[in-house]
Amino acid sequence: MTPVSAFDKRTLRDRCTQYVRDQIISGAIKPGEHLKEMHLSEEMGVSRGTLREALRPLEIEGLIVDDGKRHMLVRELTSQEILDVFEVRATLETLAARKIVASDRREEITAELRRDLEPLKEPGIEFSRQLEVDLKFHERLCALAGNPTLLAGWRNLIGQIEMMIIAAGPDKASGRMRFDEHIQIVEAIESGVEEKAVAALSDHMNDFCSRYVGDLVEPELQEAAG
């Protein structure tokens, strides 16, 4: 493995951050597991000080947390936290869809969203890349709604959204991050029919919960439905 220090020094911290993020996304470092700073710094060929700086963005995102003993560990969500995030995310994204449907720029916006989805057509796309494109699309959906408070609320959930997908793993998550699944949302918004756009996003979010977390939240979902 090429040491991270062999890369451009001007982007060293960012490259370290991405390396650790990739380790978490791939499952090499699992939810609930402590980060072994000495091992990581040696593996990347950087100082522990540089590594700690690189970990700060991940802590801000909510991917990693302090265990209270000055050690960092990968965040692990409870089933209730997953349900809470799901509820808020669905509310924000359906609001974004409503605003775009009502916008004079609807055609322009949906064209942008289509372009954002193009990478999902790549054959054999890696899970980390698929996750990146998926999150970018949903963030852009909120950004293009034209409500900064809505966008800030969505961005505040990003670390928890990532952890839900990472915890589910590629087998459960990849199927719902395909191009075909997302283009349905764009086409529904493009139609200009609010109910259709909201239904497309609601269906996507409902399946999001069942596919990504499966048995973990099924009892709570049944209780809420009953």
Side-chain angles (χ1 to χ4, degrees), residues 31 76-83 163-164 167-168 172 209-222:
E76 189 170 23
L77 297 175
T78 66
S79 58
Q80 186 58 54
E81 286 176 317
I82 291 170
L83 289 168
M163 285 315 307
M164 283 191 286
K172 290 183 180 178
C209 202
S210 61
R211 280 194 190 225
Y212 286 12
V213 299
D215 295 338
L216 181 62
V217 299
E218 190 60 30
E220 289 93 337
L221 287 174
Q222 290 178 353

Side-chain angles (χ1 to χ4, degrees), residues 159-182:
Q160 295 170 79
I161 294 171
E162 285 184 299
M163 285 315 307
M164 283 191 286
I165 299 172
I166 292 165
D171 290 344
K172 290 183 180 178
S174 290
R176 204 50 175 160
M177 295 195 293
R178 296 179 302 181
F179 175 84
D180 291 347
E181 302 289 344
H182 286 81

